[in-house]
Amino acid sequence: MITTKFALLTSASGQNVAKKAINQLMVRQFTYSSTRCQQVAVQYFETKEEARTDAEWLNAKSYKEIPGPSIFELLQTQFPGGALYKTNIKEMEDYFRKRYGDILRFKGTLGKIDTVFTFNPADFETVYRNETIWPVRLGVDSLTYYRVNKRPEVFHGVTGLITSQGRAWGDIRNKVNPVMMKVQNIRQNLSAIDGIAQEFIKRLDSLLDPRTGRLSNNFSEEIKMWAFESVAFVALNTRLGLMTREKSDPMALKLSDSLTTFLEKSYNYDVAPSFWKYFETPGFKQLIKAYDSITEITTHYIEKAMEQFDQSAEGKSVLEKLYRIDKNVAVVMAMDMLMAGMDTTSSALISTLYFLSKNPEKQEELRKELIALLPEPNMPLTEENTKNMPYLRGCIKETLRFRPIANGNFRIAGRDLVLSGYRVPKGVGVYMATMTLSNSDAYFERSAEFLPERWIKSAKATCPVSQKHNPFVYLPFGFGPRTCIGKRLAEMELETILVRILRNYRVSWVGEKPLEYINNLILQPAGEMSFKFEKL
């Protein structure tokens, strides 16, 4: 009997039977949880709308008609041996877009909700124009689980902007916005951030080979340490000593390593299909260990900073201002700023340097602006002299068009929507693939060219490509109420370090291959950093 069953399964017809049986089993096992997730997602909105009966809705195709892979096909491609095993979001986008077109549906699996991928900017606008008061986007579920289930005594139900949804998210954002989105509160750190940038230049000088202009250390790691030192000063009101590595606090280095682990592991457990919601794998335990380290070390630095707070004065630092509003919010925001602010800013900086090194005429045009800004390289950056830097800001914007930190933006539909002619019910996830479109001539003329001029108003007469682009395609910091809370800080950090590097060095790319990227939770430069630095 056993032999007979084995022969059946291994025969051609038997394999089809087995595949069908496995498919049905997966559907039964994995879709029941997505139904629950869908219901929870809808509850976040706390609003009830009448069922749509308008002509657009009635004439649209049904949700089930949206093409897309089966659950079996999706899992098969991502598990060992599959076409997308150990690949990334961009490759997954391209793979399924070729098969199913510019709108496709992924059925919810392993505790994830149904998600529609769209490459249509008209859909992007529809999603954003129909957001509710508390827009809902994909959270980092592993971090929510950690903060709610593993360490409730630390977070007291406050899970942070990265993971919160609905009213809970709105309550935190209302407390944080007046501090983080107010220009003065961030710009008051300009002098300190500039000081860190100048320390980075001194370190760069000491690490460069004077004959080749090449760095003896890992340039990517050096940039990460600069970004970490900068965001930590704002988040923790503390200098970590990472620019003079010999004096660095070992706890700071451990924190940096844990943040890197978080970024590497969270893609596997929060984006790719994973079983961690059913049982904790060894890799997931490593992620939890990293969360423990981040929590404990950040709390240590916050407690040290609190000792220096002036109880009789209004809060001066960002941390102190947040602490005076809500202690629990201050703690979780400090952690979130560190988790979101190291690799993102360092990646944007490396990409900007790369595009400027590959376009030397644009770099020289920028340098003219910087020399006018700082006739002497070591002059301080001030509120006044950094007001007018249009070409520098154009270079950053053009870099983020080419290589944004995230491939796309995500929302959970807050209302019943019609996207690309299909009905998409409230509670379904919508992924808007912006990077693919921002690198397309259909939306940005001469998209393969690095043209900072396209972002400069005064250049419109001489740069026709600046005249037209779809505003919903280029959204590197998101849109609406859920615009990135760290936008102003990231912009200030990038502007400051780029001024210092390019006012002191001419940067070129000497590698035979283009800059490589890994594309997991965010888009990160990878491989050899073949930069050459010539002292001006």
Side-chain angles (χ1 to χ4, degrees):
M1 187 68 173
I2 294 175
T3 305
T4 304
K5 287 185 176 179
F6 179 78
L8 173 64
L9 287 173
T10 52
S11 68
S13 59
Q15 286 177 1
N16 289 333
V17 172
K19 181 176 178 180
K20 185 176 181 180
I22 292 170
N23 200 348
Q24 291 172 345
L25 176 63
M26 285 183 170
V27 169
R28 287 200 302 270
Q29 291 296 316
F30 300 146
T31 56
Y32 81 97
S33 60
S34 83
T35 303
R36 286 207 311 268
C37 289
Q38 218 84 25
Q39 292 169 349
V40 171
V42 170
Q43 290 170 5
Y44 283 133
F45 295 107
E46 299 184 17
T47 58
K48 293 182 179 179
E49 290 87 19
E50 295 293 326
R52 285 186 64 171
T53 58
D54 58 282
E56 182 189 35
W57 179 261
L58 295 176
N59 293 328
K61 297 177 184 177
S62 74
Y63 175 64
K64 290 184 178 180
E65 290 181 82
I66 300 176
S70 67
I71 291 175
F72 180 81
E73 181 186 353
L74 178 61
L75 293 173
Q76 188 181 48
T77 60
Q78 306 234 5
F79 286 155
L84 297 175
Y85 180 57
K86 291 190 175 179
T87 57
N88 57 55
I89 298 173
K90 184 65 170 64
E91 290 171 323
M92 183 180 76
E93 278 183 28
D94 295 341
Y95 180 88
F96 286 114
R97 187 187 187 193
K98 286 178 183 176
R99 283 158 177 74
Y100 298 104
D102 283 352
I103 185 166
L104 56 148
R105 176 169 66 111
F106 293 95
K107 298 173 184 176
T109 62
L110 298 173
K112 300 183 188 302
I113 62 172
D114 276 20
T115 299
V116 169
F117 273 49
T118 174
F119 297 82
N120 182 351
D123 291 343
F124 303 174
E125 182 172 4
T126 298
V127 172
Y128 288 129
R129 297 297 188 200
N130 287 279
E131 287 188 324
T132 59
I133 188 172
W134 301 306
V136 177
R137 71 179 183 196
L138 183 69
V140 182
D141 287 350
S142 64
L143 185 57
T144 305
Y145 168 76
Y146 173 79
R147 289 177 172 175
V148 172
N149 297 95
K150 295 283 189 179
R151 301 299 297 273
E153 80 285 359
V154 174
F155 296 98
H156 304 286
V158 179
T159 60
L161 291 179
I162 294 176
T163 59
S164 294
Q165 308 293 355
R167 183 182 294 274
W169 173 84
D171 289 345
I172 300 173
R173 187 79 190 213
N174 286 338
K175 292 174 180 176
V176 170
N177 264 1
V179 177
M180 293 296 297
M181 297 301 284
K182 198 172 183 179
V183 177
Q184 305 91 292
N185 289 338
I186 300 302
R187 300 297 291 184
Q188 72 180 11
N189 296 289
L190 175 61
S191 178
I193 296 299
D194 186 29
I196 294 169
Q198 294 194 61
E199 287 180 20
F200 174 81
I201 295 299
K202 290 178 182 177
R203 180 166 177 81
L204 191 60
D205 274 337
S206 70
L207 296 173
L208 285 177
D209 184 325
R211 294 177 297 103
T212 64
R214 300 293 300 278
L215 202 65
S216 58
N217 283 29
N218 183 320
F219 183 64
S220 181
E221 287 303 311
E222 294 297 328
I223 292 293
K224 281 186 181 182
M225 292 302 101
W226 157 79
F228 189 29
E229 184 80 26
S230 299
V231 72
F233 176 79
V234 177
L236 302 174
N237 199 29
T238 302
R239 285 298 307 271
L240 302 179
L242 296 171
M243 294 298 93
T244 52
R245 209 66 48 80
E246 296 76 15
K247 300 178 183 177
S248 297
D249 184 341
M251 290 181 69
L253 296 176
K254 183 180 179 183
L255 179 55
S256 172
D257 290 341
S258 298
L259 291 169
T260 299
T261 299
F262 151 68
L263 203 64
E264 291 174 349
K265 297 287 185 185
S266 59
Y267 174 81
N268 296 330
Y269 298 105
D270 293 303
V271 178
S274 170
F275 291 96
W276 74 262
K277 292 183 179 179
Y278 305 94
F279 58 89
E280 294 189 6
T281 64
F284 185 75
K285 290 177 181 178
Q286 291 177 18
L287 178 59
I288 294 297
K289 187 176 179 181
Y291 285 150
D292 274 331
S293 176
I294 293 167
T295 300
E296 289 158 11
I297 296 174
T298 305
T299 302
H300 164 78
Y301 282 122
I302 291 172
E303 289 174 351
K304 281 183 63 177
M306 285 166 48
E307 296 172 2
Q308 308 301 318
F309 289 171
D310 183 350
Q311 300 301 321
S312 62
E314 182 183 351
K316 296 178 181 179
S317 67
V318 166
L319 177 63
E320 191 170 355
K321 288 178 187 294
L322 290 173
Y323 185 85
R324 291 177 185 276
I325 294 170
D326 187 311
K327 177 183 176 181
N328 293 326
V329 168
V331 170
V332 79
M333 275 304 301
M335 293 182 195
D336 285 358
M337 288 170 68
L338 294 174
M339 296 172 83
M342 181 175 76
D343 290 88
T344 52
T345 311
S346 62
S347 296
L349 172 58
I350 291 172
S351 291
T352 307
L353 290 174
Y354 173 72
F355 285 112
L356 286 169
S357 69
K358 295 291 286 183
N359 296 271
E361 73 286 357
K362 305 299 182 185
Q363 185 178 156
E364 291 307 317
E365 187 66 28
L366 172 58
R367 191 165 288 109
K368 291 177 186 177
E369 178 176 277
L370 300 184
I371 289 173
L373 178 75
L374 297 179
E376 295 297 325
N378 295 324
M379 291 174 64
L381 290 173
T382 65
E383 293 271 350
E384 191 60 34
N385 65 16
T386 56
K387 281 181 180 178
N388 188 31
M389 301 186 295
Y391 204 84
L392 174 61
R393 288 169 180 147
C395 289
I396 295 171
K397 286 182 177 180
E398 184 71 342
T399 296
L400 294 177
R401 177 185 70 81
F402 266 107
R403 296 292 181 267
I405 296 302
N407 282 3
N409 293 323
F410 185 94
R411 289 289 188 273
I412 294 176
R415 296 184 172 90
D416 291 341
L417 305 174
V418 174
L419 303 180
S420 294
Y422 293 94
R423 298 174 189 170
V424 175
K426 177 180 179 178
V428 169
V430 182
Y431 176 85
M432 296 163 278
T434 52
M435 187 173 85
T436 296
L437 302 191
S438 68
N439 283 270
S440 165
D441 282 351
Y443 302 101
F444 282 91
E445 192 175 343
R446 294 160 61 186
S447 64
E449 298 179 51
F450 184 77
L451 297 172
E453 293 81 3
R454 75 171 83 238
W455 302 101
I456 302 172
K457 291 180 180 179
S458 60
K460 284 192 174 181
T462 56
C463 182
V465 299
S466 66
Q467 301 286 352
K468 52 183 179 180
H469 70 268
N470 189 307
F472 289 94
V473 171
Y474 178 82
L475 293 169
F477 293 100
F479 179 87
R482 291 205 81 139
T483 295
C484 175
I485 196 71
K487 176 179 184 288
R488 299 195 186 284
L489 175 58
E491 289 174 337
M492 182 178 71
E493 289 176 357
L494 283 170
E495 291 167 9
T496 303
I497 192 67
L498 284 165
V499 168
R500 289 302 171 194
I501 291 175
L502 295 165
R503 185 61 186 88
N504 283 276
Y505 299 99
R506 181 171 288 105
V507 184
S508 55
W509 182 260
V510 294
E512 294 181 1
K513 297 179 180 179
L515 179 62
E516 298 175 352
Y517 287 85
I518 55 174
N519 194 336
N520 292 328
L521 202 60
I522 66 169
L523 188 67
Q524 287 181 279
E528 185 176 359
M529 299 288 140
S530 302
F531 289 107
K532 177 181 177 181
F533 297 86
E534 299 174 73
K535 194 77 175 176
L536 296 175

